Amino acid sequence: MAENLNLFTSTQEVIKKALQKLGYDESMYELLKEPLRMLEVRIPVKMDNGQVKVFTGYRAQHNDAVGPTKGGVRFHPNVSEEEVKALSMWMTLKAGIVDLPYGGGKGGVICDPRQMSMGELERLSRGYVRATSQIVGPTKDIPAPDVFTNAQIMAWMMDEYSRMDEFNSPGFITGKPIVLGGSLGRDKATAQGVTIVIEEAAKRRNIDIKDARIVIQGFGNAGSFLAKFMSDLGAKVVGISDAYGALYDPEGLDIDYLLDRRDSFGTVTTLFENTISNKELLELECDILVPAAIENQLTAENAHRIKASIVVEAANGPTTSEATKILNERGILLVPDVLASAGGVTVSYFEWVQNNQGYYWTEEEVNEKLLKKMVEAFDNVYTVATSRNIDMRLAAYMVGVRKTAEASRFRGWV
Ligand code: NAD
């Protein structure tokens, strides 16, 4: 059978298994296998050349039994209805795993922001908010940044919503600039969360981080901050990569130098001659491998050759279901994306809480609260995995989906 590379159907499969293990019947799966709401919008934008271009956008709300839905807005040429749906389901799982009072949501616009001027991007961002305004809001559905959207785009979106609402609404969106109510620590939160999860996983495998060799695929927001945190902890980051190639040094790479030289898209390898391929990078000798770039990187084809004893998925969906099975059979501890990369949504939640109370925390307070959430989440998932003798992905889905299933049951939806 062909390997399943479809994020939506493979997510549905694991949700189904998780609900069965939790003892729910088919009707709960029928409720949770798709978002409750999926809005498709057309957004007319006056381009700089005077012509109007109409963009297609989406907003999916997977389930709001627990509370408002929450999730990023992606601006990318490959955005599709199916991708947005799958990502909204993952947000439900992440919120459940770190125990946030949210359901999952996600949005996207089919566009290429790299080809657009700042003015065009601003008009598109404001247009997206106007087009989706009936279903989003601080107590309904709270957007955030995702691929190719950033704090500036969040600021325009918040401003547009505040104008429509006729009062300042910082809690409408997270990932804002600090001066507009953004949270300290939000930009590094995903990498901080992955670092905490790596430390917890290493403890379970008796690996001392100071002696550990780490390979990280991807040197963008998630991968580069992670490399920095790991090297600050004394680990040897022996390999890193970007879309153009990979760097390897068994003695450990100079991460501060690479951070200094990388561009805003996370590219750095083009400055070097002795590079290796991303394919070779994944199969390097190391203790901990962190895919932090794109999906479908660990497959049935290379899973047998992975040498790490721990794989931590910082990216969304880097491992296919076949590769998950192979890595688990080989005794490799695979920490799934829905747990490992939940630091971002956790600090987004902290941002929303601070906006609602109008009282702001120091970065130390944010990091302390993040540490507590991530350690508890790892513990819960690890305990379910070991006590039920199942893999960490299925365990994470069980922990993640339980709260939404319970809330749906109490509300009398199923
Ligand atoms: P980013 O755009 O900042 O960086 C992506 C990095 O991956 C870049 O270094 C890029 O060169 C590299 N890359 C792109 N295509 C590649 C390819 N084909 N092979 C190898 N490398 C390639 O993205 P990011 O924010 O760091 O996100 C990376 C992953 O982490 C994504 O899967 C994202 O969904 C996930 N994630 C990120 C966050 C966050 O807060 N940034 C939160 C949750 C999950």
Side-chain angles (χ1 to χ4, degrees):
M1 207 179 84
E3 195 167 1
N4 186 359
L5 301 179
N6 183 308
L7 297 182
F8 184 54
T9 51
S10 54
T11 302
Q12 284 184 322
E13 271 168 30
V14 192
I15 286 188
K16 186 170 201 167
K17 263 198 224 157
L19 288 169
Q20 281 168 352
K21 285 251 173 215
L22 288 167
Y24 287 102
D25 63 19
E26 190 64 20
S27 53
M28 188 60 83
Y29 174 66
E30 282 301 309
L31 178 73
L32 299 180
K33 73 178 187 185
E34 296 247 1
L36 284 178
R37 247 166 259 114
M38 178 72 194
L39 181 66
E40 180 175 331
V41 295
R42 302 230 191 283
I43 311 161
V45 175
K46 171 104 39 101
M47 305 302 277
D48 290 348
N49 64 8
Q51 285 178 347
V52 171
K53 190 166 171 188
V54 182
F55 293 88
T56 300
Y58 303 97
R59 188 74 198 170
Q61 298 176 342
H62 177 235
N63 188 291
D64 53 8
V66 170
T69 47
K70 172 120 194 65
V73 183
R74 179 172 289 202
F75 282 3
H76 197 278
N78 298 343
V79 163
S80 68
E81 184 176 339
E82 206 168 67
E83 181 187 64
V84 173
K85 279 187 188 178
L87 292 169
S88 76
M89 288 152 79
W90 286 2
M91 289 308 294
T92 294
L93 297 167
K94 286 189 192 186
I97 289 167
V98 278
D99 195 17
L100 310 179
Y102 292 139
K106 202 77 178 191
V109 178
I110 305 170
C111 65
D112 191 348
R114 291 164 298 189
Q115 312 291 332
M116 295 169 72
S117 70
M118 288 295 271
E120 290 168 345
L121 266 181
E122 175 174 354
R123 293 190 287 281
L124 177 63
S125 305
R126 291 182 183 278
Y128 180 78
V129 171
R130 286 194 302 276
T132 55
S133 64
Q134 286 178 349
I135 65 163
V136 294
T139 55
K140 289 200 253 180
D141 180 12
I142 305 131
D146 196 77
V147 176
F148 291 159
T149 53
N150 55 22
Q152 174 61 76
I153 291 176
M154 299 305 108
W156 290 323
M157 289 187 172
M158 190 276 270
D159 184 66
E160 189 65 23
Y161 189 83
S162 298
R163 286 187 194 195
M164 283 189 302
D165 221 22
E166 295 183 349
F167 60 85
N168 194 31
S169 309
F172 160 66
I173 207 162
T174 59
K176 299 178 292 292
I178 304 293
V179 287
L180 293 181
S183 178
L184 293 168
R186 173 65 185 87
D187 52 345
K188 301 188 180 99
T190 299
Q192 195 88 50
V194 178
T195 304
I196 296 165
V197 161
I198 290 176
E199 287 184 285
E200 291 304 303
K203 274 187 220 158
R204 303 308 193 284
R205 286 291 159 105
N206 293 320
I207 294 176
D208 186 348
I209 291 288
K210 288 197 178 59
D211 300 328
R213 293 160 306 162
I214 309 208
V215 167
I216 302 171
Q217 184 190 35
F219 209 59
N221 180 277
S224 68
F225 283 132
L226 176 67
K228 171 75 179 146
F229 291 148
M230 285 289 112
S231 81
D232 285 353
L233 285 173
K236 247 188 222 171
V237 181
V238 294
I240 63 108
S241 77
D242 57 30
Y244 304 95
L247 302 174
Y248 172 56
D249 182 344
E251 297 310 315
L253 295 159
D254 182 347
I255 298 302
D256 286 328
Y257 176 74
L258 295 175
L259 280 175
D260 203 39
R261 302 300 307 277
R262 77 172 195 130
D263 70 14
S264 62
F265 292 106
T267 305
V268 72
T269 64
T270 43
L271 303 171
F272 296 83
E273 274 174 8
N274 293 328
T275 56
I276 59 171
S277 68
N278 264 285
K279 191 169 173 294
E280 290 169 309
L281 174 100
L282 296 171
E283 297 172 19
L284 286 174
E285 274 303 333
C286 66
D287 302 296
I288 302 168
L289 171 65
V290 187
I294 52 166
E295 61 276 9
N296 295 328
Q297 294 303 291
L298 304 179
T299 64
E301 199 271 317
N302 63 4
H304 287 289
R305 293 192 299 274
I306 301 303
K307 312 228 174 32
S309 53
I310 299 174
V311 173
V312 177
E313 297 180 334
N316 282 324
T319 315
T320 64
S321 29
E322 282 77 2
T324 298
K325 198 160 165 268
I326 295 167
L327 295 176
N328 283 315
E329 279 166 5
R330 292 184 55 215
I332 293 171
L333 178 56
L334 174 63
V335 185
D337 44 16
V338 284
L339 165 60
S341 69
V345 68
T346 304
V347 177
S348 266
Y349 163 62
F350 295 160
E351 180 173 332
W352 181 75
V353 169
Q354 293 169 81
N355 295 151
N356 290 345
Q357 67 186 7
Y359 178 71
Y360 289 83
W361 306 335
T362 62
E363 191 159 351
E364 289 70 34
E365 282 174 282
V366 170
N367 287 339
E368 221 173 87
K369 290 179 166 66
L370 175 63
L371 177 70
K372 190 160 179 290
K373 281 267 182 217
M374 294 301 298
V375 169
E376 270 173 19
F378 186 95
D379 262 352
N380 285 340
V381 173
Y382 192 79
T383 305
V384 171
T386 45
S387 65
R388 299 248 193 168
N389 199 20
I390 56 175
D391 66 63
M392 288 278 281
R393 189 180 316 281
L394 182 54
Y397 273 55
M398 286 172 69
V399 172
V401 84
R402 179 185 277 144
K403 204 168 154 186
T404 289
E406 274 303 273
S408 300
R409 197 176 58 79
F410 271 122
R411 283 179 185 264
W413 292 356
V414 172

